[in-house]
């Protein structure tokens, strides 16, 4: 048996091959990260043995660089193991006892770790789950861009028209955006009339903007402390950012529609049954379901609910030494997108789920903070989601209050 460690990178992959005695089977080498380089790797492996079963290949799960080489080698019937970079880093620190890191050492460490058998293989999701993962991460990226742009607009608006918040507390409503696009600064608002302002909202449904508010807005603009410094440049910055914001929100809406279609119209019966069961939980929406399934894959792969909760990272940090025992904050490890989705779902569940609301109130009454109680609700939700998806059962209110955690 040969153990092949591959340290992947953007342009070059470093390769180390060990035999059963953990000795070098050949001199470590590197290949280019293209088809010619991968063909060279396969040729060198065939020089050692023509049987694919004689090799165990391992690469770190580094996302962009590891996916293509993993697909290429598995298509050739090689056994390829994906490793979390955290466990390889810890094994390197243990085995070398030196703060030395380079690509050749990394390839050797990966091969040696596989040879010991003391590793935990990363999970590879199916096409459906991986598609959900890609779409949800794109959605998170768009959410971050929306927050950044809103922050930039708010910062400039605090300079060019700080009084607008007296009439429009939220400057990102349709009404406020329409006014700001037309009249970005207080100097611009001073030149308009209430009738012109009201004309902007003729095509906006549901707004409660009227002529009285328009008069107050214009009056405040005339008394504004803004004196007009770099008015044109700041106006351009505001309108440009608003145009970008509207475009991103539009793309985000289309993306959410695609995610909903993927969940509702999937061809996998087992997937559809599991999703339909999860939708029966009050407080759990499509966004929560898509985030959890996309980031965690098929929940049936977990041995128990405790393993699933540990994978999510919904546990406190602990330190114990002698008589000292400290329980810290929620662990930073885990799956941030799924963890956040569960936390927000816990907030919704406290409002809409009678059984979980009772648990929340009991925990707050016993001295827990509201945030701690919400984390307990999130863990309870995770346990429910796992069981309902794995065992194909709908929501049963009578089982919610059975043996929930502290």
């Amino acid at each position: 048996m040969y153990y092949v460690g591959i340290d992947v990178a953007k342009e070059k992959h470093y390769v180390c091959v060990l035999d059963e005695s953990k000795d070098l089977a050949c001199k470590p080498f590197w290949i280019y990260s293209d088809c010619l380089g991968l063909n060279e790797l396969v040729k060198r492996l065939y020089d050692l043995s023509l049987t694919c079963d004689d090799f165990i290949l391992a690469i770190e799960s580094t996302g962009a660089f590891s996916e293509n080489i993993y697909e290429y080698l598995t298509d050739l019937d090689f056994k390829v193991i994906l490793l979390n970079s955290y466990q390889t880093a810890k094994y390197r620190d243990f085995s070398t006892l030196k703060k030395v890191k380079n690509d050749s050492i990394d390839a050797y460490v990966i091969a040696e770790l596989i040879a010991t058998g003391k590793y935990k293989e990363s999970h590879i999701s199916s096409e459906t789950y991986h598609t959900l993962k890609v779409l949800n991460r794109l959605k998170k990226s768009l959410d971050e861009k929306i927050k950044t742009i809103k922050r930039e607009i708010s910062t400039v608006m605090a300079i060019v028209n700080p009084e607008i918040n007296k009439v429009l507390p939220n400057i990102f409503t349709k009404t406020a955006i329409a006014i700001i696009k037309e009249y970005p600064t207080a100097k611009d608002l001073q030149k308009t009339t209430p009738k012109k302002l009201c004309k902007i909202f003729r095509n906006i449904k549901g707004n409660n903007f009227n002529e009285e508010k328009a008069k107050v807005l214009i009056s405040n603009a005339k008394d504004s402390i803004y004196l007009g410094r770099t008015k044109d440049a700041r106006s351009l910055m505001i309108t440009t950012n608003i145009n970008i914001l509207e475009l991103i929100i539009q793309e985000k809406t289309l993306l959410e529609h695609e995610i909903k279609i993927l969940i509702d119209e999937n061809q996998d019966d087992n997937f559809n049954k599991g999703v339909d069961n999860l939708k029966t939980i009050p407080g759990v929406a499509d966004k929560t379901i898509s985030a959890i399934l996309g980031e965690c894959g098929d929940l049936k792969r977990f041995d128990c609910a405790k393993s699933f909760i540990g994978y999510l990272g919904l546990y406190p940090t602990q330190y114990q030494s002698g008589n000292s025992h400290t329980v810290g904050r929620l662990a930073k490890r885990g799956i941030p997108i799924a963890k956040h989705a569960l936390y927000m779902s816990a907030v919704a569940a406290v409002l809409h789920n009678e059984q979980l609301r009772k648990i929340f109130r009991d925990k707050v009454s016993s001295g827990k903070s509201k945030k701690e109680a919400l984390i307990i609700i999130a863990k309870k939700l995770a346990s429910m989601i796992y069981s309902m998806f794995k065992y194909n059962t709908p929501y049963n209110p009578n089982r919610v209050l059975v043996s929930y955690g502290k």
Side-chain angles (χ1 to χ4, degrees):
M1 182 64 70
Y2 295 98
Y3 304 98
V4 184
I6 305 174
D7 183 65
V8 297
K10 184 177 181 179
E11 296 181 356
K12 295 179 181 179
H13 304 322
Y14 284 79
V15 184
C16 179
V17 184
L18 302 180
D19 58 22
E20 290 185 345
S21 302
K22 298 183 184 179
D23 295 324
L24 289 173
C26 63
K27 185 178 179 180
F29 59 94
W30 59 266
I31 57 172
Y32 285 111
S33 55
D34 54 19
C35 286
L36 292 177
L38 293 176
N39 287 335
E40 174 67 17
L41 170 62
V42 173
K43 180 179 177 296
R44 293 213 183 190
L45 295 181
Y46 283 158
D47 288 341
L48 296 173
S49 175
L50 295 175
T51 305
C52 293
D53 293 338
D54 289 341
F55 297 95
I56 298 179
L57 293 83
I59 57 179
E60 287 183 329
S61 180
T62 54
F65 303 137
S66 61
E67 183 174 333
N68 288 334
I69 186 172
Y70 176 86
E71 295 291 339
Y72 182 90
L73 293 171
T74 51
D75 283 347
L76 294 175
D77 293 330
F78 284 102
K79 181 180 179 181
V80 185
I81 294 171
L82 278 182
L83 298 174
N84 188 297
S85 57
Y86 180 78
Q87 65 176 321
T88 57
K90 289 298 181 183
Y91 184 79
R92 180 180 62 248
D93 294 341
F94 167 76
S95 60
T96 62
L97 297 179
K98 297 178 182 178
K99 287 191 174 293
V100 178
K101 182 186 183 303
N102 58 49
D103 295 332
S104 297
I105 291 177
D106 286 348
Y108 178 84
V109 166
I110 292 171
E112 188 178 46
L113 176 59
I114 293 299
T116 62
K118 298 177 181 179
Y119 62 89
K120 188 171 183 179
E121 185 175 358
S122 296
H123 174 71
I124 310 298
S125 298
S126 66
E127 185 75 14
T128 299
Y129 294 104
H130 194 69
T131 302
L132 273 176
K133 180 178 181 179
V134 172
L135 294 181
N136 275 293
R137 293 197 174 185
L138 174 58
K139 179 176 172 292
K140 184 177 185 297
S141 175
L142 294 181
D143 285 335
E144 292 298 325
K145 290 174 182 176
I146 288 172
K147 288 179 184 178
T148 300
I149 293 173
K150 283 185 175 181
R151 188 163 55 247
E152 291 177 359
I153 294 173
S154 298
T155 301
V156 181
M157 286 300 299
I159 299 172
V160 301
N161 194 357
E163 294 79 14
I164 195 173
N165 294 108
K166 296 178 181 178
V167 181
L168 302 169
N170 182 6
I171 63 172
F172 296 106
T173 62
K174 287 185 177 181
T175 302
I177 287 292
I179 292 176
I180 294 171
K181 282 184 73 174
E182 195 69 26
Y183 306 103
T185 70
K187 292 297 181 183
D188 297 312
L189 268 175
Q190 292 173 9
K191 301 174 184 178
T192 190
T193 63
K195 288 186 177 180
K196 287 183 178 179
L197 268 184
C198 291
K199 283 182 181 179
I200 298 175
F201 310 107
R202 287 177 179 175
N203 298 324
I204 300 178
K205 295 181 180 179
N207 79 87
N208 60 353
F209 195 82
N210 52 44
E211 195 166 328
E212 288 300 319
K213 287 186 177 181
K215 289 179 181 179
V216 175
L217 200 60
I218 294 171
S219 175
N220 290 343
K222 289 179 179 179
D223 296 332
S224 176
I225 60 173
Y226 178 59
L227 300 178
R229 187 178 184 185
T230 61
K231 179 178 81 70
D232 293 338
R234 282 169 170 158
S235 296
L236 180 61
M237 180 181 180
I238 291 170
T239 54
T240 300
N241 273 332
I242 288 176
N243 290 333
I244 296 172
L245 177 64
E246 290 176 335
L247 178 61
I248 294 176
I249 291 175
Q250 181 183 349
E251 292 299 319
K252 180 187 171 184
T253 303
L254 294 174
L255 180 60
E256 289 175 341
H257 180 66
E258 289 296 322
I259 293 174
K260 183 171 177 59
I261 290 175
L262 183 61
I263 289 178
D264 293 340
E265 301 178 10
N266 196 275
Q267 301 301 316
D268 187 341
D269 290 338
N270 291 328
F271 179 87
N272 288 336
K273 289 177 181 177
V275 169
D276 290 341
N277 288 328
L278 298 185
K279 287 182 178 180
T280 62
I281 307 175
V284 175
D286 289 349
K287 292 180 181 179
T288 304
I289 296 170
S290 64
I292 291 174
L293 295 182
E295 292 297 316
C296 304
D298 189 352
L299 303 187
K300 296 176 183 177
R301 69 188 179 92
F302 296 99
D303 295 331
C304 59
K306 187 176 180 180
S307 298
F308 175 52
I309 291 171
Y311 182 80
L312 289 170
L314 285 172
Y315 59 88
T317 56
Q318 295 187 41
Y319 176 82
Q320 183 175 3
S321 178
N323 295 326
S324 174
H325 185 203
T326 305
V327 178
R329 297 180 178 181
L330 199 66
K332 291 184 178 180
R333 295 176 193 165
I335 314 298
I337 294 177
K339 193 188 294 187
H340 177 73
L342 265 175
Y343 184 84
M344 297 308 296
S345 186
V347 174
V350 169
L351 297 175
H352 303 291
N353 190 308
E354 183 181 347
Q355 292 75 31
L356 292 178
R357 182 164 58 247
K358 182 182 186 306
I359 297 175
F360 175 80
R361 288 174 176 172
D362 288 347
K363 290 300 177 183
V364 173
S365 299
S366 66
K368 300 283 187 183
S369 68
K370 289 185 178 180
K371 189 171 183 180
E372 288 175 319
L374 281 172
I375 292 172
I376 292 171
I377 298 299
K379 292 175 69 174
K380 182 66 178 177
L381 273 174
S383 180
M384 291 163 52
I385 288 170
Y386 166 79
S387 299
M388 291 168 60
F389 192 89
K390 183 169 184 176
Y391 301 111
N392 192 24
T393 56
Y395 176 72
N396 182 0
N398 297 324
R399 291 204 42 89
V400 176
L401 298 178
V402 176
S403 184
Y404 59 88
K406 295 182 179 180

